[in-house]
Amino acid sequence: MEPYSLFQRMDRGEDSFVSSMEILNFLRDNGIHSVTEADCYYLIKFFDSDEDGKLNYPDFMQMILPCDNPQLRAIAT
C-alpha cells in the first residue's frame, strides 16, 4: 500500500490530518488491540512538527519511513 493511501485510510475526518483517535481506530479495525489511546497520543506528540496535536502528511511520512536508511527514505519520497 502506498503511504498516501494509508494516510487517507486513517484520515477518517477527511481534513488532511491524522489524530491519535484516528490512528487508534485504524489499528483496532485491523485487529491490533494492544495499543492504547495514550500510546497514540505520544506517537502524535513525537512526530507533530507544528505541535497542533495531529499529523499532516509530511509528519506522517516521518513516522512511517525508516530513519536508518537514507536511500530508502529518498526512494519513498
Side-chain angles (χ1 to χ4, degrees):
M1 176 177 292
E2 292 182 36
Y4 190 70
S5 57
L6 178 60
F7 180 81
Q8 288 177 312
R9 284 187 60 203
M10 287 186 177
D11 180 20
R12 294 184 181 177
E14 297 181 354
D15 57 1
S16 299
F17 295 98
V18 174
S19 69
S20 59
M21 285 306 297
E22 287 174 322
I23 291 174
L24 183 63
N25 290 332
F26 175 82
L27 293 172
R28 290 196 173 150
D29 288 348
N30 288 280
I32 300 170
H33 299 281
S34 60
V35 176
T36 67
E37 185 177 346
D39 294 332
C40 294
Y41 168 80
Y42 288 115
L43 183 68
I44 294 281
K45 187 173 175 133
F46 186 82
F47 288 101
D48 181 13
S49 63
D50 60 3
E51 300 178 354
D52 63 353
K54 51 195 174 186
L55 300 180
N56 56 30
Y57 186 67
D59 293 340
F60 179 78
M61 290 299 288
Q62 289 298 317
M63 179 180 74
I64 65 168
L65 291 175
C67 297
D68 59 347
N69 190 330
Q71 290 176 323
L72 185 56
R73 285 181 74 88
I75 291 168
T77 56

